[in-house]
C-alpha cells in the first residue's frame, strides 16, 4: 500500500461522530488537494477535536475519514499520511535541534547519510541552518516552532495539521511564520489544515476557511467572503459583528 | 521531496500500548506474593492458637496497644504544634542568617538513619548530655530522664516536625502575594494574618500531614526499641520483636502482629481519606513583605526557631562533634566496620533499585489506566496496592516472613535478601509519590507527539521517559537507597549478629557501651548515607532537562 502523493488527493470527512462526556461533534468536510484551509470558531467548538480525529489521536464512533481512496481510520497516528504542529511541547527538551528533527524520520535516531542530509535541508528550509547542535532551551519561541516545522517537512506527509501553533509569538514573527507555512505548502504541495482563533491568520494565508461552532462545520468557503458574511448569527457572535466592530484587515 | 511516495506496511488498528497491563501486573504479583505470604503465615500460625482474641484480655497487651496509640497521638500533636509556629517564623523571616542551614538540617532529619539520630538525641538530651550539663553548670536540677515516653517523643518530633514544617512552609509560600499586599493595606495583626490568611491554607495539609505522622509514629520501631526503655513504654512493633527474638513466644508474637495489621490497616484507611494532598506549587519563591514581620513578633519567632535548633540542629551537631572527638583512626581501621558497610551497600543498593524499578513499572500501568483509559479509580487502586506496606508495616511483614522461612529452617541464610525485599517494599510508597506526577506530565505532554512520530517501546523509554524523568528518578533512587541504608528494623529481626548492617553494628556498639567508638561509627554512617543520597541524586538527576516552554 502506498500513500497518495502530496497534492493529489482530497481529505474527506463524512458524518464523523465523536462524543466525550456529554459533548459531541459531527463533521462533514472536504478539503484539498493542496492549499491551506483555516479552521476558525469559538473555543470549545471542536476545532482541535477535528484535527485530533484526522491525526488519529481520537477515534470517531462512526463516519469515515479518507485521503483520496485511503481510509485513515484503521491506521495508527504514526502511520497516517498526516503530520502535526502542536501549540506547545513540540520538541523534546533534552534532544538537540537536529535530533528533534531526525526523530521524525527514525524513532531510534539511527539515520542513514541520506536521511542526515534531509534533516539539514529541512533545517535550512526553515532558516535554522547552523543551529543543529543547540538545545531547545537555547532557542526563541519562534525558532522552536520552526524546528517542529522542519520535522513536519522531513516526514513527507501530504497533510499538515497546525493547531494554533503561533500563539504567543510577537505579531511580526507570527506573520513571518505564517508566510513560511504558506511557502512550504506551495513548494511541497501540502494540504494544510490550520486551527486558529485569529481571523487575520486565515485572511493572510488561507484560500478557504471553515467556521466551526457547536461541534459542526457551519460554513466553508473562500476566506474573505466567509468572513464578510453577516447572515450567520453564530459567526457574527464569534467575530463581534453585533457590536458594530470592523474586522481588522478588512 | 514533494510527491515522494511512502511505502507503508499493512494498516494495523491504532492500539499502541498493547502490553500496558504487564508491568503493573508483574509488580502487583510480587507484592501480593510477599504481603500475602507473610499475612497467611501469620494467620496460619494464629489459627493454631486456642483463642487469639483471649490475648486481648491480657492486661499487658492492652497496655501495649494503649501506649502505641498514646505515644503516636502525642508525637503527632507535638510535631504539628511546633511545626506551625516554626513554619510561620521561617516564612515571616525570609533572610535571617542560618535560615538556609536550618532548612538543610530539616531535610537531613528525614533521611538520617534513625539510629544515628537517636545517638545524637542521647548525646544532647541524655542523662549526661549537653542539656543536663548546662543545667548542672547553672546550678539547676537535671531534666527528666530521657528513656521512656520523653525520649520517644523527642525522637519522633526530631523526625517528623521538620517534615511538617517544610510542608507548611511550602503551603505558606503558595499564598499569592496579593493576599499579603491586601493584609498590609488593611493593617492586619499577626493574629489576623494567621486566622484569615494562613489557617485556611494550612488546615487541609494539617490533617494529611497529621495522619501521615501518626501512622509513622504508630509503627516506629528503632526509636521505641532504643529509647523506650522497658515494658512500660513498648509499642506493638517492639513487642513483636521481643516475643520473637527474646522470649521465643510465637503465639504472642502472632497475636501482636495480627493486632498490628488490624490497627494500621484501619489507620491507613483513615489516612486514605486525607490522601488528596493539595498540589504544591514548586514555582518561584516570591518574596513577600508580611504586615506582621516587624519587631512585635520577633520574640515569638526567636522562641520557635530556638526550639527548632534545640530539637533538630543540636542532635545533628552532636553527632558531628562526638564523632570527630572519637578514636577516628582506630575505628576506621576496624574490618568489622567495612564488612558492615559492604553488607549495607549491597542490601540498600538492591532495595533502592528494586523499589525504584517497581515504582516506575507500576506507574506505567496506572498512568495508562488514568490518562488513556480514563479509569482514574482503577489507577488509584493500583497505586494504593503499591503502598500495601502501609497496611502491613515492615516489621510485621518481616515477622510473617520470619515465620514462613523459619518453617523451612533457612531464615538466617536468606536474611539479607529478605531485608532488602522488605526495605524495597517499605520505600515503594515514597517512590510512587515522587514519580507519579512527573510521569503523568510526560504522558500528558508528549503522548500525541510520540503517537504521531511512532515513538514507542524501548525508543520511547530511551528518548522520552528516562531523559525527562532523570530528576525524579534520581531522587526516588537516592531516597529509597538512603532509607534502606539507615534501616534498623527488619535486620534486627533477621540478623544473626554475625553479618550486621552498619546501623545494626552501631546498635550493637551502643548496647555494649562502646560509646566513643560508636560516636565515630555514627558519624561515618551519617556521612555515608547523606553522601550516598547526594551522589545518587546529583549523579542521576544531574541538572535535569531544561523545561520546554
Amino acid at each position: 500500500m502506498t500513500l497518495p502523493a502530496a497534492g493529489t488527493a482530497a481529505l474527506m470527512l463524512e458524518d464523523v461522530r465523536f462524543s466525550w462526556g456529554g459533548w459531541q461533534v459531527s463533521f462533514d468536510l472536504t478539503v484539498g488537494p493542496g492549499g491551506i484551509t483555516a479552521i476558525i470558531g469559538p473555543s470549545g467548538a471542536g476545532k482541535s477535536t477535528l484535527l485530533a480525529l484526522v491525526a488519529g489521536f481520537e477515534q470517531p464512533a462512526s463516519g469515515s475519514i479518507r485521503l483520496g481512496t485511503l481510509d485513515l481510520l484503521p491506521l495508527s497516528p504514526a502511520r497516517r499520511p498526516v503530520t502535526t504542529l502542536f501549540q506547545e511541547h513540540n520538541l523534546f527538551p533534552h534532544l538537540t535541534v537536529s535530533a528533534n528533527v531526525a526523530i521524525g524520520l527514525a524513532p531510534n535516531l539511527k539515520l542513514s547519510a541520506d536521511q542526515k542530509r534531509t534533516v539539514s535541508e529541512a533545517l535550512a528550509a526553515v532558516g535554522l541552518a547552523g543551529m543543529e547542535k543547540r538545545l531547545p532551551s537555547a532557542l526563541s519561541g519562534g525558532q522552536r516552532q520552526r524546528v517542529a516545522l522542519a520535522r513536519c517537512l522531513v516526514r513527507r506527509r501530504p497533510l499538515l495539521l497546525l493547531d494554533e501553533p503561533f500563539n504567543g509569538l510577537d505579531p511580526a514573527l507570527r506573520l513571518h511564520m505564517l508566510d513560511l507555512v504558506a511557502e512550504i505548502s506551495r513548494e511541497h504541495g501540502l494540504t494544510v489544515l490550520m486551527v486558529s482563533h485569529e481571523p487575520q491568520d486565515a485572511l493572510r494565508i488561507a484560500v478557504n476557511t471553515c467556521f466551526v461552532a457547536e461541534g459542526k462545520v457551519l460554513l466553508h468557503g473562500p476566506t474573505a467572503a466567509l468572513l464578510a458574511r453577516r447572515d450567520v448569527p453564530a459567526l457574527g457572535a464569534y467575530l463581534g459583528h453585533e457590536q458594530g466592530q470592523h474586522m481588522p484587515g478588512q | 521531496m514533494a510527491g515522494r511516495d511512502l511505502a507503508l506496511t499493512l494498516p494495523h488498528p491504532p492500539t499502541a500500548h498493547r502490553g500496558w497491563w504487564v508491568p503493573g501486573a508483574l509488580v502487583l504479583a510480587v507484592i501480593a506474593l510477599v504481603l500475602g505470604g507473610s499475612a497467611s503465615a501469620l494467620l496460619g500460625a494464629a489459627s493454631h492458637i486456642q483463642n487469639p482474641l483471649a490475648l486481648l484480655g491480657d492486661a499487658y497487651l492492652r497496655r501495649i496497644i494503649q501506649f502505641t496509640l498514646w505515644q503516636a497521638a502525642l508525637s503527632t500533636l507535638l510535631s504539628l504544634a511546633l511545626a506551625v509556629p516554626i513554619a510561620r517564623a521561617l516564612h515571616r523571616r525570609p533572610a535571617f542568617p542560618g535560615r538556609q542551614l536550618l532548612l538543610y538540617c530539616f531535610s537531613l532529619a528525614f533521611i538520617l538513619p534513625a539510629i544515628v539520630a537517636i545517638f545524637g538525641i542521647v548525646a544532647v538530651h541524655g542523662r549526661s548530655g549537653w542539656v543536663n550539663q548546662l543545667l548542672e553548670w547553672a546550678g539547676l536540677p537535671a531534666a527528666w530522664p530521657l528513656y521512656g515516653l520523653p525520649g520517644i517523643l523527642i525522637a519522633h518530633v526530631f523526625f517528623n516536625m521538620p517534615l511538617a514544617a517544610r510542608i507548611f512552609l511550602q503551603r505558606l509560600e503558595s499564598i499569592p502575594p496579593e493576599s499579603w499586599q491586601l493584609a498590609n493595606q488593611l493593617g492586619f495583626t499577626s493574629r489576623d494574618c494567621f486566622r484569615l490568611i494562613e489557617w485556611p491554607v494550612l488546615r487541609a495539609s494539617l490533617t494529611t500531614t497529621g495522619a501521615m505522622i501518626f501512622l509513622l509514629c504508630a509503627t516506629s520501631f528503632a526509636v521505641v526499641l532504643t529509647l523506650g526503655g522497658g515494658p512500660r513504654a513498648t509499642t506493638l512493633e517492639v513487642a513483636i520483636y521481643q516475643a520473637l527474638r527474646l522470649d521465643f513466644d510465637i503465639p504472642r508474637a502472632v497475636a501482636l502482629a495480627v493486632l498490628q495489621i488490624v490497627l494500621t490497616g484501619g489507620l491507613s484507611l483513615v489516612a486514605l481519606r486525607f490522601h488528596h494532598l493539595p498540589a504544591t506549587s514548586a514555582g518561584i519563591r516570591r518574596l513577600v513583605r508580611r504586615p506582621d514581620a516587624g519587631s512585635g513578633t520577633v520574640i515569638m519567632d526567636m522562641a520557635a526557631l530556638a526550639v527548632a535548633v534545640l530539637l533538630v540542629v543540636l542532635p545533628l551537631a552532636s553527632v558531628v562533634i562526638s564523632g570527630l572527638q572519637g578514636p577516628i583512626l582506630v575505628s576506621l581501621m576496624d574490618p568489622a566496620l567495612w564488612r558492615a558497610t559492604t553488607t549495607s551497600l549491597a542490601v540498600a543498593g538492591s532495595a533502592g533499585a528494586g523499589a525504584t524499578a517497581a515504582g516506575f513499572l507500576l506507574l506505567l500501568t496506572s498512568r495508562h489506566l488514568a490518562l488513556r483509559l480514563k479509569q482514574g479509580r482503577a489507577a488509584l487502586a493500583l497505586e494504593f496496592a503499591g503502598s500495601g506496606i502501609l497496611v502491613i508495616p515492615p516489621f510485621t511483614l518481616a515477622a510473617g516472613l520470619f515465620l514462613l522461612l523459619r518453617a523451612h529452617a533457612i531464615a538466617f541464610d536468606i536474611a539479607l535478601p529478605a531485608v532488602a525485599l522488605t526495605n524495597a517494599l517499605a520505600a515503594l510508597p515514597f517512590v510512587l509519590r515522587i514519580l507519579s506526577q512527573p510521569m503523568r506530565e510526560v504522558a500528558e505532554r508528549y503522548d500525541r507527539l510520540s503517537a504521531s512520530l511512532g515513538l514507542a517501546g524501548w525508543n520511547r523509554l530511551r528518548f522520552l521517559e528516562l531523559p525527562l524523568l532523570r530528576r525524579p528518578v534520581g531522587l526516588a533512587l537516592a531516597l529509597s537507597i538512603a532509607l534502606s541504608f539507615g534501616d534498623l528494623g527488619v535486620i534486627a529481626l533477621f540478623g544473626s549478629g554475625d553479618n550486621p548492617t552498619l546501623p545494626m553494628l552501631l546498635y550493637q556498639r551502643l548496647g555494649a557501651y562502646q560509646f566513643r567508638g560508636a560516636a565515630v561509627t555514627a558519624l561515618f554512617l551519617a556521612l555515608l548515607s547523606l553522601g550516598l543520597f547526594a551522589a545518587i541524586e546529583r549523579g542521576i538527576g544531574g541538572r535535569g532537562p531544561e523545561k520546554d516552554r
Side-chain angles (χ1 to χ4, degrees), chain B residues 176-198:
Chain B
E178 290 79 8
S179 297
W180 296 113
Q181 288 165 357
L182 200 61
N184 271 312
Q185 281 190 343
L186 299 176
F188 278 13
T189 64
S190 174
R191 185 189 296 257
D192 297 331
C193 288
F194 184 69
R195 197 165 48 89
L196 297 169
I197 301 178
E198 294 166 283

Side-chain angles (χ1 to χ4, degrees), chain B residues 33-60:
Chain B
L33 205 67
V34 177
L35 291 190
S38 168
S40 63
L42 288 171
L43 292 175
S47 66
H48 293 306
I49 306 170
Q50 286 299 315
N51 182 5
L53 287 178
L55 281 167
L56 277 175
D58 188 333
Y60 169 69

